[in-house]
Amino acid sequence: MSDDFDLLETNSQEKAEKVDVNWGKAIDQMKSKLAQEDDPESRQKILNATLDNVVDMAEKDRTTLLDAIKDLTDYQDEVGIMFEGFSALNAAEQKVIDDAVKRLERAKVELEDAKNKPDTWWNNLWGRKSKIRDAEQELQSAQKERDAADNKAKAMFQQRIETADVQTLLNELSFKSQAAIKRLKDRELEIKEVEESLKTAIVEASNNHTKALEKKKEVEAKLEEQYALLKQARQALEEVADKQSTEYSEALEKVTQLEQKVEELEGLKNAYTTLAASKDSFVHKHNLTIKVLTSLRSNLQTHRAKLKSDTDERLKYYDGYVVALKARTDQEFAAILEHLGVKTDEHIGETLAAMHTASAKARQEMMDNIPVHEKVMQGVYGSYAEALKDIRAKDEEIQKNFADRYGIDMKEIFDEYYKADPNAPSDGGEPAGEPKPKANDDDLLG
């Protein structure tokens, strides 16, 4: 049974796309920002923590994560990483890129189809050349849209995470970690390919070094031979007495040819010497490069293994953190409900107590107002009696006046009036026992 748990496994069969890297100051900037996160008051914050303090700390976590995501996104641009390959795009953001890619591919096909139509007068009559021009313009527009799609998607992404919650930012950071793991593995593969090519280059350079030394020895042997012949030819030239003779000219020509040959051989000797030295130098250079690359690849393996393992664990860690935040919110919510319940109980209790107090006070006020009402009624009755007394006195005066002037005794009439039923109707109706006399023409009041 094979063991799949191999964090250092590197599959050399996989091919990775090479990325041109422009490091700039991105790494230094990120390190500087991370170094600023140390907080000497963290212990005191923990000791004095309340639920409200935790809210502020969680918001700082969100702000720190947001800044980190922004820095990583900017870092992608600086090191030449394709944006859509290193960020978790949502459907709308990915659609911007996908639509641009589809339009570009469609434009390429349409242009190729337009150009593939035979260049005949009939096809040209039906607009072959204009279709080619339109297709070329569409291809240019599609290429511009594709070039701008990454930036548009990036802007949408940045705007979305600006107000994202902690869980979304943690997911984004985890996605970037997963993308970084793949990137590290791809870089290992690239380094390993270069190492293999350098090993082959070392063998070739070593072989060429050996061949150059062998050729140098061959040239040196020939050169020694030519040096001997040149020495003899110069000696023979000196021994010719007649400098104007044919013999002298032939001897001089021979010396010249041998000197030329020696010159060529010395040139070859120098060339093979330089070539051997160069190949020997590159053997050492390639060997040093392999050592450096192997060391870097080993470090990349270490980082990748740790990042891969830690990311798996970190996802669980992040889940716990998010659940803890939600639990804190639920706890706060429960505390708010409890507080509202207590306050409601207090308010209802206060209202009920107020109702009882108000009712008792109203009863007391009602009881207190009874003597006041009696006093008022006494005044009413007194005024009524006083008024009746005045009326009776006036009536007696009227009776006496009537009796004196008209000989009519009004006493019986007034006595009958005062003896009348006070509940009888007072609307001017006649007594039931006395029928109302009928009106006639002699009625003076008719």
Side-chain angles (χ1 to χ4, degrees):
M1 182 176 179
S2 62
D3 185 7
D4 293 335
F5 187 73
D6 183 5
L7 296 175
L8 296 177
E9 182 271 333
T10 301
N11 186 359
S12 60
Q13 307 255 337
E14 298 179 2
K15 297 292 183 182
E17 295 184 2
K18 295 183 179 180
V19 179
D20 293 331
V21 177
N22 177 21
W23 296 104
K25 297 180 180 179
I27 295 179
D28 292 337
Q29 291 174 352
M30 292 178 68
K31 282 184 177 180
S32 176
K33 287 192 176 183
L34 290 175
Q36 296 173 4
E37 292 301 320
D38 295 335
D39 189 351
E41 301 178 358
S42 59
R43 179 177 179 276
Q44 200 64 32
K45 287 183 178 179
I46 295 173
L47 292 175
N48 299 332
T50 65
L51 287 178
D52 292 336
N53 298 144
V54 173
V55 174
D56 296 334
M57 295 172 70
E59 178 57 26
K60 183 180 180 183
D61 291 341
R62 194 194 78 85
T63 303
T64 302
L65 278 169
L66 180 60
D67 291 340
I69 298 301
K70 289 180 178 179
D71 289 342
L72 285 171
T73 305
D74 294 337
Y75 173 72
Q76 293 170 208
D77 294 337
E78 290 201 36
V79 300
I81 304 175
M82 293 297 289
F83 173 74
E84 63 269 25
F86 206 60
S87 290
L89 303 181
N90 63 18
E93 295 157 359
Q94 187 63 50
K95 188 175 185 298
V96 172
I97 297 174
D98 293 342
D99 290 348
V101 171
K102 290 178 182 178
R103 181 185 177 186
L104 181 60
E105 292 176 350
R106 185 168 57 250
K108 290 179 180 179
V109 172
E110 290 177 355
L111 178 59
E112 185 177 358
D113 291 343
K115 288 183 176 180
N116 286 338
K117 284 190 176 182
D119 186 8
T120 62
W121 70 272
W122 179 256
N123 288 335
N124 290 332
L125 180 64
W126 287 98
R128 173 183 175 273
K129 294 182 178 180
S130 62
K131 289 180 180 179
I132 291 176
R133 286 195 300 269
D134 293 342
E136 289 174 343
Q137 292 178 356
E138 170 61 17
L139 180 60
Q140 292 178 357
S141 300
Q143 186 63 56
K144 290 181 180 178
E145 181 180 342
R146 176 63 190 96
D147 295 338
D150 284 352
N151 289 333
K152 185 176 180 180
K154 177 183 175 183
M156 294 171 64
F157 167 80
Q158 293 282 40
Q159 185 177 3
R160 173 169 60 89
I161 68 167
E162 190 71 34
T163 56
D165 56 16
V166 172
Q167 186 171 8
T168 302
L169 295 176
L170 288 174
N171 291 338
E172 173 63 20
L173 188 61
S174 299
F175 182 88
K176 289 185 182 296
S177 297
Q178 297 288 359
I181 291 170
K182 181 180 183 302
R183 178 174 171 81
L184 290 174
K185 186 173 182 179
D186 293 343
R187 188 67 70 196
E188 291 174 41
L189 294 174
E190 183 180 357
I191 291 176
K192 199 166 186 179
E193 289 179 0
V194 175
E195 287 178 2
E196 295 300 325
S197 66
L198 286 174
K199 289 177 182 178
T200 303
I202 287 176
V203 173
E204 292 177 355
S206 181
N207 291 337
N208 290 332
H209 175 259
T210 302
K211 291 179 181 179
L213 291 178
E214 292 174 354
K215 287 290 185 180
K216 177 187 174 186
K217 289 182 179 180
E218 292 179 6
V219 171
E220 286 177 342
K222 291 180 181 179
L223 194 56
E224 289 296 328
E225 180 182 346
Q226 293 301 316
Y227 275 142
L229 293 176
L230 180 58
K231 185 178 180 181
Q232 293 176 3
R234 286 176 176 172
Q235 185 65 34
L237 181 62
E238 291 178 359
E239 292 176 354
V240 176
D242 187 0
K243 306 299 182 183
Q244 302 298 324
S245 63
T246 304
E247 182 181 2
Y248 182 82
S249 298
E250 292 175 353
L252 181 60
E253 182 181 359
K254 186 176 182 180
V255 169
T256 302
Q257 291 176 353
L258 288 172
E259 286 177 344
Q260 185 179 5
K261 188 68 174 178
V262 167
E263 188 70 25
E264 291 177 356
L265 291 173
E266 285 182 347
L268 283 176
K269 176 185 174 182
N270 292 334
Y272 284 126
T273 300
T274 303
L275 183 59
S278 175
K279 294 303 176 183
D280 183 60
S281 173
F282 274 107
V283 167
H284 295 292
K285 290 176 182 178
H286 291 338
N287 186 52
L288 176 61
T289 306
I290 288 176
K291 289 180 179 179
V292 173
L293 290 178
T294 303
S295 175
L296 290 173
R297 182 163 57 87
S298 176
N299 291 338
L300 286 177
Q301 283 182 325
T302 302
H303 283 297
R304 178 172 61 87
K306 187 175 185 304
L307 184 59
K308 184 175 186 296
S309 178
D310 289 354
T311 298
D312 294 338
E313 300 298 334
R314 197 166 282 124
L315 290 176
K316 303 170 188 175
Y317 181 57
Y318 290 165
D319 287 341
Y321 175 62
V322 172
V323 170
L325 284 178
K326 292 178 180 178
R328 188 220 64 80
T329 303
D330 293 341
Q331 183 177 350
E332 181 72 8
F333 184 62
I336 292 173
L337 287 178
E338 175 64 19
H339 180 71
L340 289 175
V342 171
K343 284 297 180 183
T344 302
D345 295 344
E346 292 175 358
H347 292 162
I348 291 176
E350 291 172 1
T351 304
L352 289 173
M355 285 181 182
H356 185 270
T357 302
S359 178
K361 287 182 178 180
R363 176 181 55 79
Q364 290 178 350
E365 185 177 352
M366 179 182 66
M367 298 297 292
D368 290 339
N369 285 335
I370 290 176
V372 176
H373 293 320
E374 289 179 348
K375 290 180 179 180
V376 172
M377 292 306 297
Q378 287 178 358
V380 171
Y381 292 144
S383 299
Y384 175 57
E386 185 178 352
L388 286 178
K389 181 180 179 181
D390 293 339
I391 290 172
R392 284 189 177 122
K394 187 69 175 178
D395 284 345
E396 289 179 0
E397 184 180 348
I398 293 173
Q399 291 176 22
K400 185 176 181 302
N401 189 23
F402 266 79
D404 293 342
R405 293 175 63 186
Y406 304 109
I408 301 174
D409 188 2
M410 300 295 294
K411 185 175 183 305
E412 294 181 0
I413 297 174
F414 281 97
D415 287 342
E416 186 180 353
Y417 172 78
Y418 289 120
K419 292 178 181 178
D421 185 3
N423 294 324
S426 59
D427 55 356
E430 295 293 335
E434 299 274 341
K436 183 177 181 180
K438 294 181 180 180
N440 51 47
D441 295 338
D442 297 330
D443 189 354
L444 296 177
L445 299 176

